[in-house]
Amino acid sequence: MSGLLALLDDVAAIAKVAAASVDDIGAAAAKAGSKTAGVLIDDAAVTPKYLHGFEPARELPIIWRIARGSLINKLVFLLPAALLMSSFAPWLIPPLLILGGSYLCFEGAEKIAHVLTSQGDHSGGPDGSHAVEDPMHLEEQKIKGAIKTDFILSAEIMTIALSVIEAGNIWMQGATLALVGVMVTLAVYGAVAVIVKMDDVGLWLSQVGRLGLTRAFGRGIVKFMPWLLKTLTVVGTAAMLWVGGSIIVHSVAQMGWHGPEDFIHDIAVTYGTGQPFFEWGITASIDFVLGLIWGLILIPVGVKIIGPMWTAVMPKGA
């Protein structure tokens, strides 16, 4: 009997350790995921553009294929690379964060420059491929383009997550990164699915609603959705520049150059009147301006170098 009780005690102890590990993984994943909020907003804002021009019946299947590609990006390509880097070359994390932050600044600044210099080109989606006549070929092109864009954003998400996970057991790091990857993918593409189908829901309500108020509500949804998409685009672009600038400032501080981060902190404390919200707003605004300036500087470099290099290094399965 005593042996059985001892066995039960051991099982209970193992269960407590396992539960604590699960709690630690969940807490670490939540903390890491919160640091990637700006990138997630941009990801959710960019993806609906790849669905423009398709039949409503094709929207959810396309979203599913992009989401599946995103999971492959994170779990097959990026997760092992992140664990290897954490184990054998942790000094690479700040430079890679700077590289990723620079890409976000470049993308955000390029979007603003495109809006300011656009001459009314309405050829289609983000890559202009709506000139293609074959719908199936167009769909394949759009999905591949979306997955390529997702790869960069996923790399940034996984690197940011890795940078805030406390060093320790590699299995704990791997489980946390995997959980972050799955959570982020579900959050982003679940939100995208809701966004792109809301106009269909509104149209349905406007046509079959029994009450005038219901039909009016449906029409309101249809009219509201374009404004929501435009708002997401603006917020996503601002988030790219803010997050990109913040990543660069914080990463150069990790590499030993604390001047920019200390300077921004001093300004925020001086003019924030002791209110955390105002201090955060000042810090984010300065990061945004720095991100925009750096992104504008990078535009000529990005057009000539980043695009061709990106095509060359992109995994063929992504």
Side-chain angles (χ1 to χ4, degrees), residues 269-284:
V269 171
T270 301
Y271 296 99
T273 64
Q275 300 296 321
F277 176 79
F278 291 121
E279 291 181 7
W280 174 86
I282 293 171
T283 301

Side-chain angles (χ1 to χ4, degrees), residues 18 34 40 48 64 102 130 132 143 150 155 164 172 176 190 197 204 242 249 266 271 287 298 303 306 311 313 317:
S34 67
L40 301 187
W64 160 243
S102 296
H130 273 108
V132 180
I143 291 171
D150 174 271
V164 299
M172 180 75 74
T176 303
K197 299 308 291 183
W204 179 78
W242 155 53
V249 170
D266 291 342
Y271 296 99
D287 289 337
L298 287 177
V303 171
I306 293 179
T311 302
V313 303

Side-chain angles (χ1 to χ4, degrees), residues 62-258:
I62 291 173
I63 292 172
W64 160 243
R65 291 185 62 186
I66 297 173
R68 184 179 61 188
S70 178
L71 281 174
I72 293 173
N73 284 341
K74 294 181 180 73
L75 302 182
V76 176
F77 295 117
L78 297 171
L79 176 57
L83 293 178
L84 287 173
M85 181 174 61
S86 176
S87 298
F88 300 104
W91 52 270
L92 271 177
I93 295 177
L96 285 177
L97 284 171
I98 292 174
L99 183 63
S102 296
Y103 177 81
L104 292 176
C105 294
F106 161 72
E107 281 287 297
E110 189 182 42
K111 288 181 181 180
I112 292 176
H114 177 74
V115 170
L116 296 178
T117 60
S118 176
Q119 300 300 317
D121 177 19
H122 302 290
S123 57
D127 55 6
S129 63
H130 273 108
V132 180
E133 295 181 0
D134 181 6
M136 294 303 298
H137 182 61
L138 171 61
E139 181 174 319
E140 291 299 321
Q141 280 192 326
K142 287 295 181 179
I143 291 171
K144 289 180 180 179
I147 293 174
K148 283 186 177 183
T149 300
D150 174 271
F151 187 86
I152 278 289
L153 296 175
S154 292
E156 192 66 14
I157 288 168
M158 298 297 273
T159 307
I160 293 172
L162 182 64
S163 69
V164 299
I165 296 174
E166 297 180 1
N169 189 308
I170 189 172
W171 300 110
M172 180 75 74
Q173 287 184 324
T176 303
L177 285 175
L179 184 56
V180 169
V182 173
M183 286 171 40
V184 163
T185 303
L186 291 177
V188 168
Y189 292 101
V192 169
V194 171
I195 290 170
V196 300
K197 299 308 291 183
M198 280 303 295
D199 54 350
D200 294 335
V201 173
L203 181 61
W204 179 78
L205 287 175
S206 68
Q207 292 175 342
V208 305
R210 293 185 178 181
L211 301 177
L213 183 61
T214 303
R215 294 191 295 272
F217 179 67
R219 291 191 296 269
I221 292 177
V222 173
K223 293 179 180 180
F224 173 72
M225 289 312 297
W227 290 100
L228 175 62
L229 292 174
K230 290 180 181 179
T231 301
L232 277 176
T233 299
V234 172
V235 172
T237 300
M240 288 182 85
L241 294 168
W242 155 53
V243 173
S246 175
I247 288 172
I248 293 172
V249 170
H250 182 65
S251 298
V252 296
Q254 287 184 316
M255 297 176 70
W257 187 24
H258 297 274

